[in-house]
Amino acid sequence: MIRIFNDFYTNKPKIVMNNGISLKELAAELNLAPSTVSRALNDSYEISEATKKKVISMAEKLNYQPNPFARSLRENKSKTIAVIIPERINYFFSQVIDGIEEITSEHGYHLLVYSTHEDVEKEKKILSLLQNGRADAIVMSVSSQTSDVSHLKRLHDRGLPILFFDRICSEIPTTKFITNDYESAFEGTKHLIQQGCKKIAFLMLSKELSITKERHRGYVDALKMSGMEPEPAFSLHCCHSDEDNTQLIWELLLSSNRPDGILSSVEKLALATYQAVKKTNLSIPDDLKIISFSNMSIAGLLNPSLTTITQPAETIGEECAKLLIKKLTKPRQPDLLNQVITIPSKITIRESTLVR
Amino acid sequence: MIRIFNDFYTNKPKIVMNNGISLKELAAELNLAPSTVSRALNDSYEISEATKKKVISMAEKLNYQPNPFARSLRENKSKTIAVIIPERINYFFSQVIDGIEEITSEHGYHLLVYSTHEDVEKEKKILSLLQNGRADAIVMSVSSQTSDVSHLKRLHDRGLPILFFDRICSEIPTTKFITNDYESAFEGTKHLIQQGCKKIAFLMLSKELSITKERHRGYVDALKMSGMEPEPAFSLHCCHSDEDNTQLIWELLLSSNRPDGILSSVEKLALATYQAVKKTNLSIPDDLKIISFSNMSIAGLLNPSLTTITQPAETIGEECAKLLIKKLTKPRQPDLLNQVITIPSKITIRESTLVR
DNA sequence: GAAAATTTCGCAAACGTTTTCGTATTTAAA
DNA sequence: TTTAAATACGAAAACGTTTGCGAAATTTTC
């Protein structure tokens, strides 16, 4: 369907895409003022029930759809939330977004989703694009390259609600949702020790990340509690490339002083370990036991099945969204509190840490 | 930072969130008309180089960010593309979106991402929300429940560019990107036959889906070419729930006339099969061989590793995006052609179809 | 040196809403 | 019957852009 309008200046007919009827046209159809129609549709007390009825039925008949940009311009809010994650092909982040959408969609909010691909420059660019009010709030997990946080701080200083989860940014005074990183890493390491591991390595993405700091602290403390001394070479610093990581871990496994246990702080490094092990004649769990933070639903189908520390990803997403919705929809809400909310993970023991 | 404005009617100061400086304010700062500043920033030929310089430097100094909604309202375009997928926790769809974002972000487009969770009612709701121009185009893969397509047709009739991939909708005359579903299924089935399978089952989500139709056709033709007759009970119709699917497949595996080979038309059903097999005393590939459409990067790490038909997911996303960007940014583009573009998959043979 | 053409900029309309205020009409109170 | 209050609606401003047109100022042409 195509509609013809007369251009204001040229007065020549022009063809435009049919974005439906406008409030003004709807009002004309009803012989009412636009203001009245607007109020009627927004269920204002100033409008009689009779005209409300008429307006609503005509709006439905003509399939009136309010223009979101006119509304955003006027109201100075977009009904949109930006979600920024470091990678998209990731069970955890996908589940978190599912949780967020579950809540936000109920309240008519839309989700702009961006992936930084672990690249802080992309992250900066995305945040820069978000300066203009395109989104009413941001919920994000920082990239592994993020150490300078001025680009985050700027948005926060502008008054844009920003909320962190998983990989949080302690410098920004706002609410953050995480799992019990320290305790889970501590318990995971303890589990490896109980299974007889003597030389436990820790796999991490970047030393700057909140999750590696906390999880590493748990790892170190668990070692110390058992009288072990954390060996620096056993804290392996990996990167974004799966191939490079596999290579790094492979080299670690072939070193004369190779570990017999691994705590992987993120899922992808556990998978890289599996790939690396395939290239050796070592075997899991006999020669090497491994436990990993991971939200794979199919950890049980791996060869061997992987002992995991699973985050309540969907719940984390839901809680983020609930908080934001409250902040955005209720009147006179204070700024997001500077607090860290912890939701515990669950350890599932499988073959990869078995003693046999 | 907080800014104080005087309200027009009450003339009382009011506190607003700082969304930055406006074009008008920037113009005032420069002693220029807003129109001049606008043209200068848009590099119009009507503006002298000298003032362009001045305007640009002042804009940078004051960190001017154009309001996207004012622009969208005026231009009647949003610089936003909606992506609708049936599920988010899925390697294939995540990769496709990565491919889309790769291209669109370069052109300043934003991505609204929605998941239908395989629910056609959710799909309808999402498309209804997209009637008002919030997105300039839609790229989507339909839900497994989608058979009536009037909600898609309506948007297409309005002139909104809509583009399908993977699970396409033949009723809508527009461009679709798929993989060579028929040939891949044919080859996959042939591979099972070559590996000695005599009774091959076909796992599918919904009979309505384009991919099940095509893949099933390939499966049937491969059987027939080898003189086998497709058994109706071996075309197993599954659903969205992993638990239910595992149960269904488990029952199939325990039936007196159980299959010795499986072609799974989607990844999740292969995983459900693995789960089901774990609950039997059957073993893959000795008692049952399986090949599946799947974009899991870790198919090789499963127990046993899974023979896969892998779609060029990221390429599909990129091609979708390229086409849309062309349509949206070049002047006087025709409607999207009613065509199906096929990008072939790749079969990777692993242990799950091994003869030993 | 006058006319014509070009360069450079400003005015104001328009996009589609929401909301303040004014006002006519009806209802309630005195 | 007057007056006050309540009800129901309209006029117009405002959000922040872009752009057609008009019009000075300058440069070019003859």
Side-chain angles (χ1 to χ4, degrees):
Chain A
M1 193 161 94
I2 284 191
R3 312 181 67 225
I4 315 282
F5 287 106
N6 278 12
D7 187 80
F8 175 75
Y9 290 104
T10 65
N11 202 31
K12 300 246 180 77
K14 61 173 182 179
I15 297 175
V16 301
M17 211 213 302
N18 179 13
N19 248 346
I21 199 175
S22 77
L23 188 70
K24 220 181 289 180
E25 300 174 280
L26 176 59
E29 199 72 33
L30 285 156
N31 282 327
L32 287 172
S35 51
T36 305
V37 176
S38 171
R39 273 186 273 248
L41 292 174
N42 291 326
D43 201 31
S44 161
Y45 72 99
E46 288 184 291
I47 306 298
S48 72
E49 290 304 319
T51 50
K52 274 186 193 172
K53 274 265 193 331
K54 273 196 291 185
V55 168
I56 290 172
S57 87
M58 180 64 82
E60 287 195 346
K61 182 182 162 200
L62 301 182
N63 190 28
Y64 167 70
Q65 304 283 346
N67 183 307
F69 305 120
R71 190 175 270 175
S72 290
L73 179 60
R74 170 67 212 223
E75 307 252 85
N76 200 31
K77 53 187 174 186
S78 62
K79 284 247 162 195
T80 301
I81 292 171
V83 180
I84 307 175
I85 54 172
E87 59 176 13
R88 199 175 263 119
I89 305 169
N90 180 302
Y91 281 92
F92 173 70
F93 292 119
S94 294
Q95 287 176 252
V96 171
I97 299 179
D98 264 358
I100 295 173
E101 192 183 30
E102 173 78 21
I103 304 296
T104 54
S105 69
E106 277 175 17
H107 293 82
Y109 275 76
H110 298 252
L111 249 40
L112 285 170
V113 183
Y114 303 87
S115 163
T116 64
H117 293 266
E118 301 281 17
D119 179 352
V120 70
E121 291 307 322
K122 276 216 177 93
E123 186 175 283
K124 284 181 186 169
K125 199 170 290 177
I126 293 162
L127 278 139
S128 157
L129 288 174
L130 258 26
Q131 283 187 87
N132 53 20
R134 192 177 278 271
D136 293 337
I138 298 177
V139 28
M140 74 179 292
S141 204
V142 302
S143 92
S144 55
Q145 294 179 353
T146 305
S147 57
D148 171 47
V149 297
S150 52
H151 56 301
L152 305 173
K153 189 145 183 46
R154 181 167 51 201
L155 276 262
H156 181 260
D157 288 347
R158 275 182 166 244
L160 190 69
I162 179 166
L163 196 152
F164 295 95
F165 69 93
D166 193 52
R167 306 165 171 204
I168 65 177
C169 180
S170 56
E171 292 93 330
I172 313 285
T174 183
T175 301
K176 298 112 182 171
F177 285 91
I178 60 170
T179 191
N180 54 348
D181 292 303
Y182 173 85
E183 291 80 3
S184 295
F186 185 93
E187 291 300 325
T189 310
K190 211 173 80 179
H191 172 64
L192 288 174
I193 295 169
Q194 285 168 345
Q195 301 301 94
C197 294
K198 301 293 178 196
K199 295 181 291 185
I200 301 176
F202 179 82
L203 304 183
M204 59 183 161
L205 279 181
S206 153
K207 298 179 186 180
E208 306 291 343
L209 282 178
S210 62
I211 53 170
T212 73
K213 285 179 188 162
E214 282 303 293
R215 293 172 188 180
H216 191 259
R217 213 162 53 78
Y219 155 78
V220 167
D221 282 4
L223 288 188
K224 286 186 174 165
M225 209 192 66
S226 303
M228 300 184 187
E229 206 46 47
E231 195 161 329
F234 277 4
S235 288
L236 194 63
H237 182 268
C238 301
C239 66
H240 187 39
S241 154
D242 289 330
E243 289 72 25
D244 294 355
N245 291 336
T246 301
Q247 177 71 18
L248 272 171
I249 296 165
W250 181 73
E251 287 167 9
L252 176 69
L253 294 181
L254 290 193
S255 67
S256 57
N257 183 30
R258 68 162 182 81
D260 59 0
I262 282 183
L263 170 64
S264 168
S265 65
V266 292
E267 179 178 297
K268 67 186 298 179
L269 298 182
L271 297 176
T273 304
Y274 271 58
Q275 300 282 14
V277 166
K278 276 183 80 171
K279 294 167 60 178
T280 68
N281 51 9
L282 300 176
S283 125
I284 302 175
D286 302 319
D287 307 310
L288 178 73
K289 304 196 197 314
I290 178 167
I291 179 173
S292 177
F293 282 84
S294 166
N295 275 65
M296 274 194 298
S297 53
I298 55 165
L301 298 181
L302 291 183
N303 184 17
S305 60
L306 175 64
T307 296
T308 54
I309 302 168
T310 305
Q311 295 195 52
E314 207 159 330
T315 305
I316 289 178
E318 288 166 3
E319 293 302 319
C320 287
K322 280 181 193 166
L323 191 65
L324 271 188
I325 291 294
K326 185 178 161 202
K327 161 77 178 164
L328 294 176
T329 58
K330 308 273 182 193
R332 311 205 64 61
Q333 284 288 309
D335 283 351
L336 295 177
L337 263 50
N338 183 18
Q339 60 180 341
V340 178
I341 298 175
T342 304
I343 310 179
S345 285
K346 208 184 100 197
I347 297 185
T348 305
I349 294 170
R350 299 197 181 85
E351 294 166 5
S352 70
T353 55
L354 212 62
V355 177
R356 55 186 179 189
Chain B
M1 193 162 91
I2 286 191
R3 312 182 66 227
I4 314 283
F5 289 105
N6 278 13
D7 186 79
F8 174 75
Y9 291 104
T10 65
N11 201 31
K12 299 247 181 74
K14 61 173 183 178
I15 297 176
V16 301
M17 211 213 303
N18 178 14
N19 247 345
I21 199 175
S22 79
L23 187 72
K24 220 182 287 181
E25 298 174 282
L26 176 59
E29 199 72 32
L30 285 157
N31 282 327
L32 286 173
S35 52
T36 305
V37 176
S38 172
R39 275 186 267 251
L41 291 173
N42 291 327
D43 201 31
S44 161
Y45 72 99
E46 287 184 293
I47 305 299
S48 72
E49 291 305 318
T51 49
K52 273 185 194 174
K53 276 263 192 338
K54 271 195 296 186
V55 168
I56 289 172
S57 85
M58 180 63 83
E60 289 197 344
K61 182 181 162 200
L62 301 183
N63 189 29
Y64 166 71
Q65 304 283 345
N67 182 308
F69 305 118
R71 190 174 272 177
S72 290
L73 180 59
R74 169 67 212 220
E75 308 252 87
N76 200 31
K77 53 186 174 186
S78 62
K79 285 245 159 196
T80 301
I81 292 171
V83 180
I84 307 176
I85 54 172
E87 59 176 12
R88 212 183 309 260
I89 303 168
N90 179 302
Y91 281 92
F92 173 69
F93 292 119
S94 295
Q95 287 175 252
V96 170
I97 299 180
D98 263 358
I100 296 174
E101 191 183 32
E102 173 78 20
I103 304 296
T104 53
S105 68
E106 276 175 17
H107 293 81
Y109 275 77
H110 299 251
L111 247 41
L112 284 171
V113 184
Y114 304 86
S115 164
T116 63
H117 293 267
E118 301 281 16
D119 179 352
V120 70
E121 292 307 321
K122 277 216 176 98
E123 186 175 282
K124 284 181 187 170
K125 200 170 289 177
I126 293 163
L127 278 140
S128 157
L129 290 172
L130 257 27
Q131 281 187 87
N132 53 21
R134 191 178 278 270
D136 293 337
I138 299 178
V139 27
M140 76 178 292
S141 205
V142 302
S143 92
S144 55
Q145 295 180 352
T146 304
S147 58
D148 171 46
V149 297
S150 51
H151 56 300
L152 305 172
K153 190 145 183 46
R154 181 166 51 202
L155 277 261
H156 181 261
D157 287 347
R158 275 182 167 244
L160 190 69
I162 179 166
L163 196 152
F164 295 95
F165 69 94
D166 193 52
R167 305 167 172 203
I168 66 177
C169 180
S170 57
E171 291 94 329
I172 313 283
T174 183
T175 301
K176 298 109 180 172
F177 285 91
I178 60 170
T179 191
N180 54 348
D181 292 302
Y182 174 84
E183 291 81 3
S184 296
F186 186 92
E187 291 301 324
T189 310
K190 209 173 81 180
H191 172 63
L192 287 175
I193 296 170
Q194 285 168 345
Q195 300 301 95
C197 294
K198 302 292 179 197
K199 294 180 292 184
I200 302 176
F202 180 81
L203 269 35
M204 61 184 160
L205 278 181
S206 153
K207 296 180 185 179
E208 306 292 343
L209 282 178
S210 62
I211 52 170
T212 73
K213 284 179 189 163
E214 282 303 292
R215 293 172 189 180
H216 191 259
R217 215 162 53 79
Y219 154 79
V220 167
D221 282 4
L223 287 188
K224 286 185 174 166
M225 208 192 68
S226 303
M228 301 183 185
E229 207 45 46
E231 194 163 332
F234 277 6
S235 287
L236 194 64
H237 182 269
C238 302
C239 67
H240 187 39
S241 154
D242 289 330
E243 289 72 24
D244 293 354
N245 291 336
T246 301
Q247 176 72 17
L248 271 172
I249 296 165
W250 181 73
E251 287 166 10
L252 177 68
L253 294 180
L254 290 194
S255 66
S256 57
N257 182 31
R258 69 163 181 82
D260 60 0
I262 283 183
L263 170 64
S264 168
S265 65
V266 293
E267 180 177 295
K268 68 186 300 181
L269 297 182
L271 298 175
T273 304
Y274 271 57
Q275 301 282 13
V277 167
K278 276 183 80 171
K279 293 166 61 178
T280 69
N281 52 9
L282 299 176
S283 126
I284 303 175
D286 302 320
D287 307 311
L288 178 74
K289 304 195 197 315
I290 178 167
I291 178 171
S292 178
F293 282 83
S294 165
N295 275 64
M296 273 193 299
S297 53
I298 54 166
L301 298 181
L302 292 183
N303 183 18
S305 61
L306 175 65
T307 296
T308 54
I309 302 168
T310 305
Q311 293 196 53
E314 206 158 332
T315 305
I316 289 178
E318 288 166 4
E319 293 303 318
C320 287
K322 280 180 193 168
L323 191 65
L324 271 188
I325 291 294
K326 185 178 161 203
K327 162 76 177 161
L328 294 176
T329 59
K330 309 273 182 191
R332 311 204 64 61
Q333 284 288 310
D335 283 352
L336 295 177
L337 262 51
N338 183 18
Q339 59 180 341
V340 178
I341 297 175
T342 304
I343 310 179
S345 285
K346 209 184 100 195
I347 296 185
T348 305
I349 294 170
R350 298 198 181 85
E351 294 166 6
S352 70
T353 55
L354 212 62
V355 178
R356 55 185 179 191

